[in-house]
């Protein structure tokens, strides 16, 4: 997909962070923009920002929607067609949440919340929109589906099990849809950054009341740690530029860094090493290097020990060193 002007983009999580950066960039390219988010106040601010960035007021539509609610998501798709005359040509699913804590402390609610937003909502978008896109545009014009994934998709993490699993799955979905959509002239991309300047650190405040039973130590202070780390992340507009280039090149994986090939080879080597005893030993050195990188990232956060990424203190099966 190389032609964007006059086409429609539907962007989830479009009220802030990476999604807002994508909305601004593709609005600048002349697209009609739909941003979907669960926060009305953030949507209102985002619309104004997109217009100030250069979009015409009538070319921006904001829809408050819980993307895990299939009926509500379907209604958002209907609204898009009513306002702009058709389904999106470009579907970018960026909405996401995260929670940090030992994998063995994870509850059903932790998995249901994180994977509900980061994976199930993506599935909802694909099932709702792709048939509409095919009916409207196959054989007529190019289209694309994309998801904002994460570098965490390529390796699991001791304290990011639900998130890493969800991101690995959405990458796999893009591999599958890339193959499936070829006959229609459509493409698929997963963009996989490490750290984005966003407010995802505040996500716990949006956790539904029926999914509040977390096994992780969560507080205003642990959210402050995340906010401090994300404040140093990639500019959302820069990330959007990488994604645009990947879409134009019909690229399935977008690793948004100049040394992207080196990074991908490193992930591939690590996974390859997991398949043999010798490789497992080689990975010990890679694990030490990864821990050094984590320590460097944590230096961006306040140094007070607030129990970030640790378990609740009352979980009697968790190693005391991993509780707070």
């Amino acid at each position: 997909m190389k032609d964007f002007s006059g086409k429609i983009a539907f962007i989830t999580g479009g009220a802030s962070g990476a999604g807002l950066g994508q909305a601004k960039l593709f609005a600048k390219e002349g697209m009609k923009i739909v941003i979907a988010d669960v926060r009305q106040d953030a949507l209102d601010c985002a619309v104004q920002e997109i217009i100030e960035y250069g979009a015409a007021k009538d070319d921006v539509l904001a829809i408050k929607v819980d993307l895990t609610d299939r009926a509500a998501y379907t209604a958002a798709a209907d609204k898009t067609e009513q306002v702009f005359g058709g389904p999106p040509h470009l579907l970018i699913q960026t909405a996401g949440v995260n929670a940090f804590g030992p994998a063995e402390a994870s509850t059903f609610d932790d998995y249901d919340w994180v994977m509900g937003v980061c994976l199930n909502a993506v599935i909802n978008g694909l099932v709702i929109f792709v048939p509409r896109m095919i009916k409207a545009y196959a054989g007529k014009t190019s289209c694309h589906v994309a998801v904002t994934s994460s570098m965490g998709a390529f390796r699991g993490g001791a304290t990011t099990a639900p998130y890493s699993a969800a991101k690995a799955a959405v990458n796999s979905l893009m591999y599958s849809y890339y193959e499936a959509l070829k006959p229609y002239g459509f493409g698929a991309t997963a963009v996989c950054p490490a750290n984005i300047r966003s407010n995802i650190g505040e996500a716990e405040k949006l956790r539904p009341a029926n999914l509040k039973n977390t096994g992780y130590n969560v507080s205003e202070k642990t959210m402050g740690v995340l906010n401090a780390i994300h404040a140093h992340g990639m500019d959302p507009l820069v990330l959007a530029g990488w994604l645009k280039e990947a879409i134009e090149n019909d690229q399935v994986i977008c690793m948004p860094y100049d040394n992207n090939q080196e990074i991908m080879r490193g992930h591939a080597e690590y996974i390859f090493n997991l398949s043999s005893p010798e490789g497992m030993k080689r990975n010990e050195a890679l694990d030490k290097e990864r821990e050094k990188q984590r320590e460097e990232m944590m230096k961006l956060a306040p140094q007070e020990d607030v129990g970030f990424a640790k378990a609740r203190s009352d979980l009697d099966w968790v190693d005391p060193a991993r509780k707070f």
Side-chain angles (χ1 to χ4, degrees):
M1 183 177 179
K2 299 181 186 294
D3 50 332
F4 300 101
S5 183
K7 292 185 174 180
I8 305 161
F10 188 103
I11 302 168
T12 72
S16 63
L20 180 54
Q22 291 155 0
K24 288 180 177 179
L25 183 141
F26 286 105
K28 201 80 167 180
E29 291 293 318
M31 299 193 80
K32 294 175 172 61
I33 303 295
V34 185
I35 53 172
D37 205 286
V38 74
R39 302 158 298 161
Q40 186 62 56
D41 57 342
L43 283 166
D44 294 340
C45 292
V47 168
Q48 189 59 38
E49 283 193 45
I50 296 166
I51 292 170
E52 289 175 357
Y53 198 72
K57 183 178 180 180
D58 291 342
D59 287 345
V60 184
L61 172 65
I63 303 177
K64 183 178 183 292
V65 59
D66 176 354
L67 300 166
T68 65
D69 181 334
R70 289 172 177 164
Y73 206 157
T74 300
D78 293 340
K79 181 71 172 178
T80 299
E81 294 189 13
Q82 291 165 10
V83 172
F84 289 137
H89 302 80
L90 175 59
L91 170 64
I92 309 177
Q93 301 201 82
T94 295
V97 297
N98 202 353
F100 291 83
E104 70 273 23
S106 304
T107 64
F108 286 127
D109 283 4
D110 290 322
Y111 277 102
D112 287 347
W113 179 52
V114 175
M115 298 194 78
V117 176
C118 294
L119 173 58
N120 293 347
V122 172
I123 293 169
N124 291 346
L126 292 169
V127 172
I128 290 166
F129 275 120
V130 168
R132 298 178 186 224
M133 293 165 71
I134 291 172
K135 288 179 181 179
Y137 305 126
K140 299 175 184 176
T141 188
S142 58
C143 293
H144 210 93
V145 296
V147 63
T148 300
S149 182
S150 168
M151 199 180 292
F154 299 102
R155 300 188 199 176
T159 60
T160 60
Y163 185 79
S164 293
K167 295 303 185 180
V170 297
N171 277 17
S172 185
L173 281 172
M174 291 302 98
Y175 308 151
S176 298
Y177 274 79
Y178 173 75
E179 292 294 334
L181 295 178
K182 277 182 181 179
Y184 306 102
F186 297 179
T189 298
V191 59
C192 303
N195 186 19
I196 311 166
R197 192 159 67 233
S198 74
N199 61 1
I200 194 173
E202 301 281 323
E204 279 285 351
K205 295 179 179 180
L206 299 174
R207 188 191 280 236
N210 64 321
L211 298 176
K212 288 285 190 182
N213 180 35
T214 179
Y216 311 146
N217 173 57
V218 177
S219 68
E220 288 286 344
K221 289 185 175 181
T222 62
M223 285 186 272
V225 169
L226 282 171
N227 287 335
I229 291 172
H230 289 305
H232 295 271
M234 178 180 289
D235 186 296
L237 278 167
V238 173
L239 180 66
W242 280 98
L243 176 59
K244 174 178 174 287
E245 183 178 349
I247 290 170
E248 290 171 330
N249 292 327
D250 198 24
Q251 190 176 317
V252 183
I253 294 295
C254 173
M255 181 62 70
Y257 302 96
D258 290 333
N259 62 335
N260 45 42
Q261 294 295 290
E262 178 185 343
I263 294 171
M264 290 300 294
R265 286 192 187 96
H267 289 311
E269 178 186 3
Y270 190 89
I271 294 169
F272 177 79
N273 285 343
L274 294 175
S275 65
S276 72
E278 298 79 14
M280 294 293 288
K281 291 179 181 177
R282 290 194 295 271
N283 273 358
E284 290 178 6
L286 296 175
D287 287 335
K288 289 179 181 178
E289 182 60 32
R290 190 183 187 190
E291 182 57 29
K292 287 180 183 178
Q293 293 171 356
R294 179 185 177 280
E295 290 172 358
E296 286 300 311
M297 178 172 284
M298 290 302 297
K299 288 179 182 178
L300 301 173
Q303 294 306 295
E304 177 189 2
D305 183 8
V306 298
F308 174 71
K310 291 191 175 182
R312 280 180 5 216
S313 61
D314 61 317
L315 303 186
D316 58 8
W317 64 89
V318 177
D319 184 328
R322 294 165 65 80
K323 297 193 293 187
F324 185 74

